[in-house]
Amino acid sequence: MIRGILIGVLAVGVAGTGYWGYQEHQEKNAILLNAENNYQRAFHDLSYQMDLLHDKIGTTLAMNSRHSLSPSLTEVWRITSEAHTDVGQLPLTLLPFNKTENFLAKIGDFSYKTAVRDLDKEPLSKEEYENLKVLYKQSNDIQNELRGVQHMVLKNNLRWMDVELALASGKEQTDNTIIDGLKKVEKTVSGFDETDLGVTFTNGQKKDENFKKIKGKTITRQEAIQIAKKYMKFDGNAEVKVTENGKGSDYGFYSVSIKNKNTGQEASMDITKKAGHPIWFINQRDIKKQVISLNDANNKAAAFLKENGFKDLELFESTQYDNIGVFNFVTNINGVRIYPEAIKVKVALDNGDIMGVSAEEYLKSFQTRTIEKTSITMEQARSKVNPNLKVMEDRQAIIINDLGNEVLCYEFLGTLGDDTYRIFINAKNGMEEKVEKLKNAEAVYEDVI
């Protein structure tokens, strides 16, 4: 009797385990299928966008009227932006594809600058026209290479998940049609570097995308662990894991993960190998009821940054999510805000612990600066602002404009109706560089029936 019951229970257990395993397998397959579909869509979209780009540049070459040329160049800029997005959705993090991205950036930068200028007063020069011809040919070369990869993908039913696994495991040197094809695309674009495209084709990405401006000695793995423990305030019994960045990166960093064996608390951090600066870190724990104010949390965030060597910072904005305060700081030099140099700090409102830091933008943009002189006065800049805007604050600031360039501006913060806006006027030429609508407080719906 008992034996029969035990056998029944075991049978049910085996059946339950089998069903659970089946469910897990199904869910895993669904996730992999979804990722594969996204990769396939992004690649075929990229190939399609390159076809459109080649055709649109060719169409632009045949135009002469400003009324036709400006919209056409705007369309070229839009297509390059979409192609950039498609590249970013492919599993190419560990496979250098920066030459192709830079090529797209150059085309986008030129087309945008040309489209927004007055082509009646300043039409395309002979040099710019010749440069467009060069780009037309080069885009055709990339188009053909991508079509070749696309043909092989469709013909042999190749999977992008295999590419991701090959890159992640470091086996990209083995025979892989997609990887080989993309490397051929990158090699083709590398041959364009020697082409002189003139001063109008400067790359719009002015920021130090690879942290090359960071100065200091290279730290060891052990030093990275000590820095991480200092930021995370972990002492004693801790389990530590350290990995280095993958191949293909132009800068080095350590990824440090620490788990407190006594409390179970975990924290993760990326640290630059040069000088040991934190790119970001997250301290994970349950946050209890709020005890300290947002102002006190701001003071703790500011003190934390100063203690860790970040100087000349000013609070730009603060928000609260549940029991966490989020504070955004920017560099302030002699009253001029440097918005590209931004650091975000998260503070727990139960005891003031620093729960996270994001310093990537700061590290990419930080440099020794000399603030240039303005060509127009604050009053002249204010006259360029919508007269219906009620200005509450004004100052000078450096921002990144739509072309990716740093520009000195006059900043005006004001209200129009029930909304608040931040408007930036170029301090050199009086042009309206950027208008931002600030977010209003979110409505609370939980008590609404």
Side-chain angles (χ1 to χ4, degrees):
M1 178 70 178
I2 296 176
R3 182 183 178 189
I5 293 173
L6 288 175
I7 293 174
V9 170
L10 287 173
V12 171
V14 170
T17 303
Y19 179 73
W20 174 81
Y22 174 75
Q23 287 289 95
E24 287 284 299
H25 180 71
Q26 289 293 94
E27 290 176 6
K28 180 180 178 181
N29 283 344
I31 293 172
L32 292 175
L33 181 61
N34 183 60
E36 179 65 27
N37 289 339
N38 286 333
Y39 290 151
Q40 291 283 357
R41 176 196 52 75
F43 175 70
H44 293 300
D45 280 354
L46 172 62
S47 183
Y48 173 68
Q49 295 299 342
M50 287 307 302
D51 287 347
L52 287 181
L53 181 62
H54 177 250
D55 291 344
K56 184 55 68 175
I57 294 176
T59 302
T60 304
L61 285 170
M63 292 178 177
N64 191 39
S65 166
R66 176 200 181 280
H67 299 290
S68 300
L69 196 55
S70 287
S72 182
L73 286 168
T74 302
E75 185 69 6
V76 169
W77 174 68
R78 183 191 65 79
I79 294 170
T80 57
S81 297
E82 293 191 3
H84 254 300
T85 301
D86 293 330
V87 170
Q89 293 177 4
L90 294 175
L92 302 173
T93 307
L94 304 178
L95 178 65
F97 213 54
N98 56 302
K99 299 292 184 183
T100 303
E101 291 183 289
N102 286 341
F103 175 77
L104 291 170
K106 287 179 180 180
I107 298 178
D109 189 20
F110 168 76
S111 58
Y112 184 86
K113 284 181 177 178
T114 309
V116 298
R117 84 186 191 209
D118 191 337
L119 292 174
D120 285 335
K121 295 180 179 178
E122 191 180 354
L124 281 181
S125 66
K126 182 178 179 180
E127 180 186 10
E128 288 173 327
Y129 187 79
E130 292 301 318
N131 286 336
L132 270 179
K133 286 184 178 179
V134 172
L135 289 176
Y136 180 64
K137 180 184 181 303
Q138 292 176 345
S139 63
N140 182 60
D141 293 340
I142 299 176
Q143 175 190 41
N144 290 335
E145 295 292 355
L146 283 173
R147 280 183 174 179
V149 179
Q150 186 179 39
H151 171 73
M152 295 303 296
V153 168
L154 295 174
K155 179 183 177 182
N156 299 318
N157 196 27
L158 300 177
R159 300 192 322 144
W160 277 91
M161 290 303 297
D162 294 335
V163 176
E164 186 171 46
L165 291 172
L167 292 173
S169 63
K171 296 179 180 179
E172 68 270 23
Q173 299 298 331
T174 60
D175 183 25
N176 188 298
T177 304
I178 296 180
I179 293 177
D180 293 342
L182 292 176
K183 284 183 176 179
K184 191 176 180 183
V185 174
E186 186 74 351
K187 185 177 180 180
T188 298
V189 182
S190 298
F192 301 160
D193 286 349
E194 299 177 358
T195 305
D196 181 13
L197 295 176
V199 294
T200 56
F201 280 81
T202 54
N203 188 353
Q205 299 300 317
K206 297 297 183 185
K207 289 189 298 180
D208 178 19
E209 294 294 353
N210 291 317
F211 308 147
K212 292 177 182 176
K213 294 177 183 176
I214 294 177
K215 296 179 180 179
K217 72 178 186 72
T218 300
I219 65 172
T220 64
R221 292 169 66 96
Q222 193 57 42
E223 286 174 321
I225 294 173
Q226 294 307 314
I227 292 171
K229 285 185 175 181
K230 174 187 174 184
Y231 271 85
M232 301 167 189
K233 295 185 178 179
F234 270 27
D235 296 314
N237 194 16
E239 178 184 341
V240 181
K241 294 181 181 179
V242 182
T243 57
E244 297 186 41
N245 60 297
K247 292 182 293 182
S249 237
D250 290 335
Y251 66 94
F253 65 88
Y254 293 106
S255 293
V256 183
S257 176
I258 301 179
K259 182 176 182 179
N260 189 321
K261 291 184 177 180
N262 296 330
T263 64
Q265 184 178 347
E266 297 182 17
S268 302
M269 184 175 187
D270 276 2
I271 307 170
T272 60
K273 286 184 179 178
K274 189 185 290 185
H277 292 301
I279 301 173
W280 62 266
F281 91 80
I282 297 176
N283 202 349
Q284 299 174 346
R285 70 167 174 83
D286 291 332
I287 299 174
K288 300 176 182 178
K289 185 178 179 180
Q290 179 176 352
V291 174
I292 67 174
S293 68
L294 203 61
N295 184 61
D296 289 339
N298 165 46
N299 292 334
K300 288 183 178 292
F304 171 82
L305 292 173
K306 186 176 181 180
E307 177 186 325
N308 286 282
F310 294 100
K311 300 177 181 179
D312 303 319
L313 293 176
E314 173 189 6
L315 180 66
F316 163 43
E317 60 183 358
S318 62
T319 52
Q320 181 174 344
Y321 300 96
D322 295 326
N323 295 325
I324 293 180
V326 180
F327 305 93
N328 205 347
F329 294 84
V330 296
T331 299
N332 187 314
I333 300 177
N334 299 325
V336 181
R337 281 185 178 175
I338 317 297
Y339 281 109
E341 296 180 11
I343 299 181
K344 188 172 292 185
V345 182
K346 293 184 178 182
V347 180
L349 298 180
D350 57 355
N351 64 1
D353 279 351
I354 305 299
M355 302 304 296
V357 171
S358 176
E360 183 174 1
E361 291 303 310
Y362 180 92
L363 295 174
K364 286 180 177 179
S365 302
F366 179 78
Q367 57 185 291
T368 301
R369 299 174 184 275
T370 300
I371 307 298
E372 58 185 342
K373 293 183 178 180
T374 62
S375 298
I376 63 174
T377 65
M378 177 73 77
E379 290 70 25
Q380 289 172 322
R382 186 187 289 259
S383 69
K384 306 293 184 180
V385 175
N386 187 324
N388 296 317
L389 185 84
K390 184 179 179 181
V391 177
M392 312 298 290
E393 296 179 19
D394 55 48
R395 64 176 61 85
Q396 290 184 35
I398 290 177
I399 66 169
I400 301 291
N401 66 8
D402 290 339
L403 297 176
N405 300 320
E406 287 192 358
V407 289
L408 177 64
C409 295
Y410 287 106
E411 174 189 350
F412 298 96
L413 182 69
T415 59
L416 186 61
D418 296 328
D419 296 314
T420 304
Y421 295 86
R422 183 176 287 113
I423 298 175
F424 297 93
I425 304 297
N426 191 302
K428 288 289 186 180
N429 56 27
M431 297 291 291
E432 191 175 69
E433 287 286 350
K434 186 176 291 188
V435 176
E436 297 178 350
K437 179 180 178 294
L438 303 188
K439 292 182 179 180
N440 296 323
E442 295 288 342
V444 178
Y445 297 101
E446 60 183 39
D447 295 328
V448 178
I449 298 177

